[in-house]
Amino acid sequence: MADADGSRRDLRGGALSAPRLRPGTPERAGLDPAETDRLVHEVRGLTSGERPWAAGAVVVAGRGPVLAVAEATGWAVRYAGYDPVTDRGVELPPQRRVAMTVDTPFDLASLTKLFTSVAAVQQIERGTLGIDALVGAYLPEFRGAAGHGITVRQLLTHTSGLRPELPLYDCADAEERLARLRAEAPVGAPGSYLYSDLNMLLLQHLLERLTGRGLDVLIHEGITRPLGMTATRFGPCPAAAATEDQRRPWAKADRGMLRGEVHDENAWALGGVAGHAGLFSTGPDLAIFCRTLLAGGSHGPARILGPDFVELLLTPPGLGFALDQPWFMGELAGRGAAGHTGFTGTSLVLDPATDTFLILLANTVHPRRRPANSGPRAAAGTRIARAVRAVRGA
């Protein structure tokens, strides 16, 4: 039998499928069109002027199974490089620039962590991985983690005590990089929060040891292929929005202007597939990912997680996901909103309380990285929260 929204259920009421995401108007989604118009106008303003917040941006938002906003602005490629003398980007001639489109892929940076986390929870659901199991039980040669009793849960919640990163990009070869990871011990007390890319790198090694498959294969077979996310994959991705003219001293490696190759220096050193960074995706593909989690793990006939395990993923403090962070969620934060940001300028938020999602993708590091400014992300979240409230009359 089917519900009014088109989802199918078995005779005991269990969900067999969830309605697919479909394009529609803000009104059909239950969002105030005046607020969504303001959202689009404000995002367009972020890419204008000589020193914009980002060279280009894509904003995608929806509620329920309706994709209500999908807009692109600015440039996927605007600069040939960065001039440190003038502290300005070297502009490409207009005919050589590449306009941003809704379907432009972006280097997701740390949004990759969300996919790694889902892949881990899939193994927890199958019973092949224990959430409170010791990392050393799976990776005994990782002496630092094994010797300090770090658990899978601590990796997923950034409470392992591992430092934020290691300079793996400066190691001589893959053997030295692996040796450093294996020896790395916590610098903080396990159980206390310290955000670390190393958590997801260890989790990647654990998942690959457990399943005998690479992380890229796990994410493709377990998440993106069943959901039809055909634009989401590890690089190279030649059509992606450009990122940084990556050079020392502002960067950690000398690689020149990057487009289609992972920006994160450690992910690059590791071959482009890493638990903390390396995925490329588009706004529409990420909308499917958000909608799937809001619908309890299903999208159409595809199911990547059961509702109980989506709840586990999003229960405070969140497994991989950050919860209720006003600094990038704005007024969407407060009742269990979940999401993440990425260093290259990416972010997503899903709000189970209002069945709403917001994706803002921007190449803020083009032509070079700047001090982080998540004010525009928070402002966008506030616009969507107000779009919901205006319809509810709250």
Side-chain angles (χ1 to χ4, degrees):
M1 57 185 177
D3 292 345
D5 64 3
S7 59
R8 295 173 54 245
R9 295 186 174 274
D10 62 24
L11 295 177
R12 294 179 296 175
L16 293 175
S17 67
R20 292 182 181 273
L21 192 66
R22 61 184 186 274
T25 63
E27 293 93 336
R28 188 172 183 83
L31 296 171
D32 178 62
E35 290 291 348
T36 58
D37 284 348
R38 293 186 187 103
L39 167 67
V40 171
H41 175 76
E42 290 168 2
V43 170
R44 286 175 177 160
L46 298 173
T47 65
S48 62
E50 291 187 0
R51 292 180 180 267
W53 180 70
V58 171
V59 61
V60 174
R63 190 176 182 201
V66 180
L67 180 63
V69 177
E71 297 285 342
T73 180
W75 302 100
V77 184
R78 177 174 173 175
Y79 304 100
Y82 168 73
D83 183 351
V85 175
T86 62
D87 188 29
R88 290 180 179 273
V90 179
E91 299 262 8
L92 286 165
Q95 66 272 20
R96 291 183 56 199
R97 299 178 192 176
V98 179
M100 192 70 77
T101 73
V102 169
D103 294 318
T104 296
F106 283 77
D107 179 337
L108 295 186
S110 284
L111 295 193
T112 302
K113 293 180 173 76
L114 304 182
F115 289 81
T116 304
S117 299
V118 170
V121 173
Q122 287 177 329
Q123 297 302 318
I124 293 168
E125 180 178 22
R126 292 167 189 164
T128 56
L129 179 64
I131 190 169
D132 290 310
L134 295 173
V135 171
Y138 300 90
L139 300 171
E141 72 277 21
F142 280 66
R143 303 181 306 280
H148 288 79
I150 291 175
T151 67
V152 172
R153 187 189 297 273
Q154 288 170 342
L155 295 181
L156 284 163
T157 56
H158 294 285
T159 56
S160 68
L162 292 169
R163 73 184 71 202
E165 68 169 3
L166 285 172
L168 301 177
Y169 45 84
D170 280 339
C171 293
D173 52 31
E175 184 177 344
E176 183 182 347
R177 286 188 283 274
L178 185 56
R180 291 204 64 174
L181 275 174
R182 287 174 171 175
E184 184 66 17
V187 296
S192 58
Y193 181 82
L194 179 61
Y195 182 82
S196 173
D197 290 348
L198 303 185
N199 290 315
M200 294 298 161
L201 285 175
L202 264 64
L203 191 59
Q204 174 188 0
H205 280 278
L206 190 158
L207 291 172
E208 291 180 344
R209 175 71 56 81
L210 179 68
T211 64
R213 293 180 290 171
L215 181 65
D216 52 345
V217 175
L218 290 173
I219 289 175
H220 176 67
E221 293 185 352
I223 303 173
T224 61
R225 185 172 66 182
L227 293 179
M229 296 173 61
T230 57
T232 304
R233 60 187 182 277
F234 287 95
C237 183
T243 54
E244 184 176 35
D245 184 1
Q246 196 172 92
R247 289 182 275 155
R248 291 179 169 96
W250 57 83
K252 303 164 189 172
D254 293 299
R255 301 168 60 202
M257 181 58 73
L258 301 177
R259 185 186 184 198
E261 295 184 27
V262 62
H263 174 272
D264 182 90
E265 292 94 341
N266 273 344
W268 163 68
L270 293 166
V273 177
H276 70 290
L279 275 177
F280 289 79
S281 189
T282 64
D285 258 26
L286 291 176
I288 294 171
F289 181 69
C290 290
R291 181 61 208 153
T292 299
L293 296 178
L294 287 169
S298 297
H299 184 256
R303 174 190 178 280
I304 63 167
L305 280 176
D308 290 347
F309 290 88
V310 173
E311 184 177 355
L312 174 66
L313 193 72
L314 304 182
T315 295
L319 302 182
F321 285 80
L323 302 186
D324 288 330
Q325 299 295 312
W327 63 271
F328 78 91
M329 298 178 180
E331 293 177 11
L332 276 176
R335 292 185 293 173
H340 215 287
T341 64
F343 187 83
T344 51
T346 59
S347 62
L348 66 79
V349 183
L350 51 97
D351 182 25
T354 59
D355 201 17
T356 305
F357 64 85
L358 168 67
I359 297 151
L360 180 57
L361 304 177
N363 51 352
T364 58
V365 298
H366 184 53
R368 68 155 286 187
R369 66 189 72 188
R370 301 285 184 183
N373 173 15
S374 282
R377 295 166 172 154
T382 293
R383 281 289 170 220
I384 289 298
R386 292 178 181 177
V388 174
R389 290 203 299 269
V391 170
R392 288 181 165 182

